[in-house]
Amino acid sequence: STLFPYTTLFRSQNTTDLLTMTAANQAVGLINRQVQVNGIGIPFSGTVIAVEFNANGAQLSVRRPSGQVTTGVKLSQVTLVSP
């Protein structure tokens, strides 16, 4: 009975770690992919050129067709990924 709290905590931490790794893999998998971004002013499309990981999670840098680079794009703001 004394192991129960520790087992639950361990499982919870493993789940959190797994979700973080999954998000990181998704973000890295978007490099060089065309994406549609919504939630930062006017929706736009572009190519993911970099991924940064910080306390807020993964953030993308997206190069627009004009050459302008938008940084700080969250995964939740990506609405479409083209092959």
Side-chain angles (χ1 to χ4, degrees):
S1 67
T2 58
L3 289 177
F4 179 74
Y6 300 108
T7 303
T8 302
L9 178 62
F10 182 72
R11 285 185 185 154
S12 176
Q13 183 61 48
N14 282 348
T15 301
T16 301
D17 291 347
L18 182 59
L19 291 173
T20 301
M21 287 174 35
T22 301
N25 285 339
Q26 286 178 342
V28 169
L30 291 176
I31 294 176
N32 292 324
R33 301 285 298 271
Q34 289 286 113
V35 294
Q36 180 76 30
V37 178
N38 198 356
I40 306 177
I42 299 172
F44 66 93
S45 62
T47 304
V48 177
I49 60 169
V51 178
E52 176 185 348
F53 297 96
N54 58 32
N56 297 323
Q59 296 189 343
L60 310 173
S61 294
V62 180
R63 178 177 289 128
R64 300 177 189 219
S66 66
Q68 176 186 1
V69 176
T70 301
T71 59
V73 176
K74 298 175 185 176
L75 288 176
S76 62
Q77 295 169 316
V78 174
T79 58
L80 179 68
V81 178
S82 300

